Amino acid sequence: MSAVSAIDDPYKGRPPIVIGMDWFFLGREVILRMQSREGAMNRILIAAVAMILAGCTTTAQQSANLATLGPDYFYENAEVKGDALDETIQVNTRRASYSSASFQELMAGTPTADPFVRAFKDKNTGEIDAQIYVPIQHQMSSWLHPYQANYGSPLTTGETVRIGTDVDCSYSAGCRYYETVGFMLDTETIERAGAAPTPSGSFVFRIKTQGGVDVDSEVPWAEIAGALRRIRDAG
């Protein structure tokens, strides 16, 4: 199923970002503009906005809590796409996933990722594949051009497929770039995720870029396992 990595994608254009992220960047813009002015009142307002934004941003503790959920959570919240006229059924965990980006990273504009899992089943052969879908956003003044994913031990590498790009230059702090890629999981990783019991912790990976700035991220093993279970039951 080599065509899986390039199938029609429901998220073309601007990559999916966590709910409230656009509000975060709006607030960040307010802060940056306030910082260009003087006065104690402005500093108070800056602190207040920062506290609100910090409360709206997914924290490391929240991410850790979600990572402890089992495959059932991701199974039940996975989205299934495909009907009787489609040759391939797709499952994704976008609604059940989360952003691991910290408040500090978002404020700095450094590259962050909000990955989730997509699984595919060929209805004719029953063959199943899985992909890590990686929306990356940053303010690094230019495109990063991701090209490779590294993961596992011993180290496994895989080519990334470019899914979508977008750029928003409406902010005074500079343009915000969106670069979405995906990489297919190898058979061994899929078998490990589907084994019982489900591995604990997270599947950790690194996206290599031509821009010289790597992007490290992860998804819970339970998320991969839940997606695989859901795709096996679909169709």
Side-chain angles (χ1 to χ4, degrees):
M1 284 172 66
S2 59
V4 163
S5 58
I7 65 170
D8 289 338
D9 186 71
Y11 308 113
K12 282 181 179 176
R14 176 165 296 189
I17 53 179
V18 293
I19 295 174
M21 193 65 75
D22 284 332
W23 283 104
F24 169 85
F25 282 103
L26 176 61
R28 181 172 181 264
E29 179 73 3
V30 172
I31 290 176
L32 292 172
R33 293 188 179 185
M34 286 180 176
Q35 287 175 332
S36 65
R37 302 176 182 178
E38 298 178 352
M41 183 58 70
N42 283 338
R43 288 193 292 271
I44 293 173
L45 290 173
I46 291 171
V49 173
M51 290 177 65
I52 293 172
L53 293 176
C56 294
T57 305
T58 304
T59 65
Q61 184 59 51
Q62 288 172 321
S63 297
N65 291 342
L66 189 52
T68 63
L69 294 173
D72 288 348
Y73 167 81
F74 297 100
Y75 178 97
E76 294 167 0
N77 289 280
E79 181 181 13
V80 181
K81 290 183 174 291
D83 56 28
L85 299 180
D86 289 316
E87 297 178 348
T88 301
I89 300 174
Q90 178 196 147
V91 162
N92 73 73
T93 59
R94 178 173 179 259
R95 294 181 301 187
S97 193
Y98 62 90
S99 173
S100 59
S102 70
F103 179 75
Q104 292 78 9
E105 288 173 329
L106 291 170
M107 283 295 293
T110 55
T112 58
D114 184 20
F116 58 90
V117 181
R118 296 202 301 182
F120 312 90
K121 181 165 69 174
D122 187 312
K123 292 200 296 188
N124 293 321
T125 66
E127 181 182 357
I128 291 176
D129 285 305
Q131 177 192 63
I132 304 298
Y133 185 103
V134 191
I136 299 171
Q137 57 180 304
H138 61 87
Q139 288 181 278
M140 298 299 291
S141 76
S142 184
W143 299 103
L144 292 179
H145 299 293
Y147 67 90
Q148 180 174 293
N150 294 359
Y151 61 91
S153 179
L155 183 65
T156 300
T157 62
E159 180 183 1
T160 59
V161 176
R162 182 176 178 178
I163 296 174
T165 60
D166 197 5
V167 61
D168 183 352
C169 293
S170 63
Y171 296 91
S172 61
C175 297
R176 177 157 35 116
Y177 293 87
Y178 302 86
E179 300 181 70
T180 300
V181 297
F183 65 94
M184 305 303 293
L185 295 178
D186 64 291
T187 302
E188 182 178 346
T189 300
I190 292 176
E191 290 177 349
R192 179 182 177 188
T198 301
S200 60
S202 294
F203 170 79
V204 178
F205 61 90
R206 172 171 294 165
I207 301 296
K208 305 289 290 184
T209 76
Q210 294 178 3
V213 180
D214 296 337
V215 184
D216 291 351
S217 192
E218 61 187 59
V219 295
W221 278 106
E223 184 170 346
I224 303 175
L228 291 173
R229 279 176 46 190
R230 190 68 183 88
I231 196 67
R232 291 190 182 104
D233 291 346

